[in-house]
Amino acid sequence: MSLRVAVAGTGFIGAVHAQAARAAGGTVVGVAASTPERGRAAAQRLGAERVFEDAAELVTADDVDVVHVCTPNHLHEELSRLALEAGKHVVCEKPLALDLAGARRLADVAAAAPGRTAVPFVYRYYPTVHEVRHRVAAGEAGAVHLVHGSYLQDWLLTPDDDNWRVDADLGGASRAFADIGSHWCDLAEFVTGHRVTRVSARTTTAVPERRRDPGRAAFARANGDDAVARRVTTEDAAIVQFETDGGALGSVVVSQISAGRKNRLWLEVDGAHEALVFDQEDAETLWRGRQDMATTIRRDPATLSPEAARLAILPAGHPQGYHDCFRLFVADVFAAIETGEAPDGLPTFADGVRAAQITEAVLASAREQRWVDVAAGEPAGVAS
Ligand code: SOE
């Protein structure tokens, strides 16, 4: 029987989740939005069978197996907790909560609940990312000396660019790093097998005031006369140096104010034998450097490692993209639910807590201007 899915939150990412769930064979039985009117419009747009009065009704509905939490961040912990306590499987957008303490509380609830959990660190689902991971694990790159890169966007470049993430009470104390730096660090640890042990970070709020247009949807630009200016406390950008438990050094620039950059996640792993580069905006190939040559590796199912080829669902020359990553991620969630075995690399609430651990250390380092250790270890027994 098709898994019955419900999506709380019907903005850009809620729509991506709904489409991925359907592509993975699920049935989208319903959605909930910030108002019933928005819910009805979204249900029609997303092909959902019905609209829930609100998210609280959705997360406990008897005819729902899997809850996708795609609301603004301040609702993640409570909605996920209610869904887990109702016996649901939960896919919760990152961050799990507004801070590490909240993420740990939720992980403890998950550990005691029967439902499967997942967090969409979906960039893991590019086959070329798994190819980097394979080459590092197989020793082809050699000992990893450096891990560096950036994650650059520009959708919050001007004072008229606004979003609920800007406000700490809705998005959390960290914005740019928690929102997209978390993806970069997840990938860095995923492909190298290293863990970040300590960070030295600096952050900037380059746009100190933003104009909020109350009726505006996310990602839209304020232009109404009733746009109201307010001070911003969350960071537009962060620059982080780090050390790993594998003896590597690393650095990352995270920015939502880099003009012309749309979703440019760039990760370079420099090993003793070769360097590998993944560029999310050009994910069909990897750059591979050796001392005597530089070349590219194609996303070709016929030549990739088995773990990368598993995700290469189209022949070479037929580009896979963001939606494919989400579909492959949700298919792995469904497989974990249906078989009881989580496919290798499925990001769970344990990975959500990990992201919160690194984020908290980044904020503390930036605030206190010193190196800060990253809380170690996984939360005990988090449901996978
Ligand atoms: C906005 O920064 C955003 O949609 C993030 O919230 C996503 O996690 C990222 O994948 C793309 O950009």
Side-chain angles (χ1 to χ4, degrees):
M1 184 181 92
S2 170
L3 284 169
R4 299 166 301 175
V5 168
V7 180
T10 57
F12 153 70
I13 207 65
V16 170
H17 278 249
Q19 185 181 53
R22 191 173 293 113
T27 301
V28 180
V29 299
V31 296
S34 52
T35 65
E37 296 72 32
R38 282 187 173 175
R40 279 190 287 277
Q44 192 165 16
R45 187 171 75 247
L46 304 178
E49 294 172 357
R50 65 187 171 96
V51 184
F52 291 96
E53 187 59 27
D54 56 28
E57 181 198 8
L58 180 151
V59 294
T60 57
D62 291 339
D63 62 338
V64 171
D65 304 310
V66 190
V67 169
H68 289 244
V69 177
C70 302
T71 63
N73 297 345
H74 67 296
L75 299 174
H76 288 185
E77 181 184 355
E78 178 68 1
L79 290 177
S80 297
R81 179 181 66 77
L82 290 171
L84 286 165
E85 289 172 349
K88 310 302 181 186
H89 306 288
V90 178
V91 179
C92 180
E93 269 294 337
K94 43 66 186 162
L96 291 180
L98 293 183
D99 57 21
L100 176 55
R104 282 185 164 142
R105 280 194 300 268
L106 189 55
D108 288 344
V109 171
R116 283 279 168 183
T117 68
V119 179
F121 286 119
V122 285
Y123 296 119
R124 294 185 180 191
Y125 282 83
Y126 279 111
T128 40
V129 166
H130 275 257
E131 189 63 20
V132 174
R133 185 177 188 233
H134 165 78
R135 287 172 173 267
V136 171
E140 292 176 33
V144 174
H145 296 321
L146 302 174
V147 186
H148 54 98
S150 57
Y151 194 161
L152 309 176
Q153 301 175 331
D154 69 359
W155 66 283
L156 286 170
L157 179 61
T158 77
D160 286 334
D161 295 316
D162 195 20
N163 181 259
W164 53 262
R165 290 175 180 79
V166 169
D167 298 316
D169 58 339
L170 298 179
S174 168
R175 178 197 353 128
F177 190 85
D179 188 23
I180 59 175
S182 56
H183 276 299
W184 192 93
C185 289
D186 174 72
L187 278 189
E189 292 194 330
F190 183 66
V191 301
T192 61
H194 291 202
R195 303 282 276 180
V196 172
T197 52
R198 67 185 197 131
V199 297
S200 172
R202 293 292 179 271
T203 60
T204 179
T205 301
V207 181
E209 282 199 352
R210 292 183 184 270
R211 283 184 282 281
R212 157 134 297 169
D213 197 344
R216 211 165 25 87
F219 298 102
R221 181 156 289 174
N223 52 23
D225 297 336
D226 58 353
V228 177
R230 77 202 184 284
R231 288 208 61 74
V232 174
T233 61
T234 55
E235 82 281 4
D236 295 315
I239 296 185
V240 184
Q241 293 179 89
F242 59 88
E243 296 174 355
T244 79
D245 60 357
L249 280 183
S251 68
V252 61
V253 177
V254 175
S255 162
Q256 295 178 318
I257 54 170
S258 296
R261 298 298 192 185
K262 297 309 174 184
N263 200 34
R264 189 191 182 268
L265 188 164
W266 171 285
L267 175 65
E268 178 161 339
V269 177
D270 295 344
H273 304 324
E274 64 182 41
L276 293 164
V277 173
F278 169 74
D279 176 358
Q280 194 277 146
E281 291 183 342
D282 179 17
E284 285 290 285
T285 60
L286 290 173
W287 181 87
R288 175 182 176 231
R290 296 183 77 95
Q291 201 169 28
D292 58 348
M293 48 76 89
T295 184
T296 56
I297 299 168
R298 275 188 184 282
R299 181 202 58 80
D300 183 343
T303 55
L304 290 176
S305 61
E307 54 270 52
R310 175 179 84 91
L311 303 175
I313 52 179
L314 294 171
H318 299 68
Q320 288 185 210
Y322 184 77
H323 273 301
D324 296 304
C325 289
F326 248 100
R327 170 187 162 191
L328 290 162
F329 161 70
V330 175
D332 271 5
V333 173
F334 288 1
I337 292 168
E338 289 163 346
T339 69
E341 285 296 315
D344 177 42
L346 177 66
T348 70
F349 276 18
D351 301 288
V353 172
R354 180 63 187 159
Q357 288 172 334
I358 297 174
T359 300
E360 181 161 274
V362 163
L363 286 184
S365 175
R367 184 176 58 245
E368 299 161 23
Q369 304 231 348
R370 64 180 178 88
W371 280 87
V372 171
D373 291 344
V374 176
E378 313 266 338
V382 171
S384 59

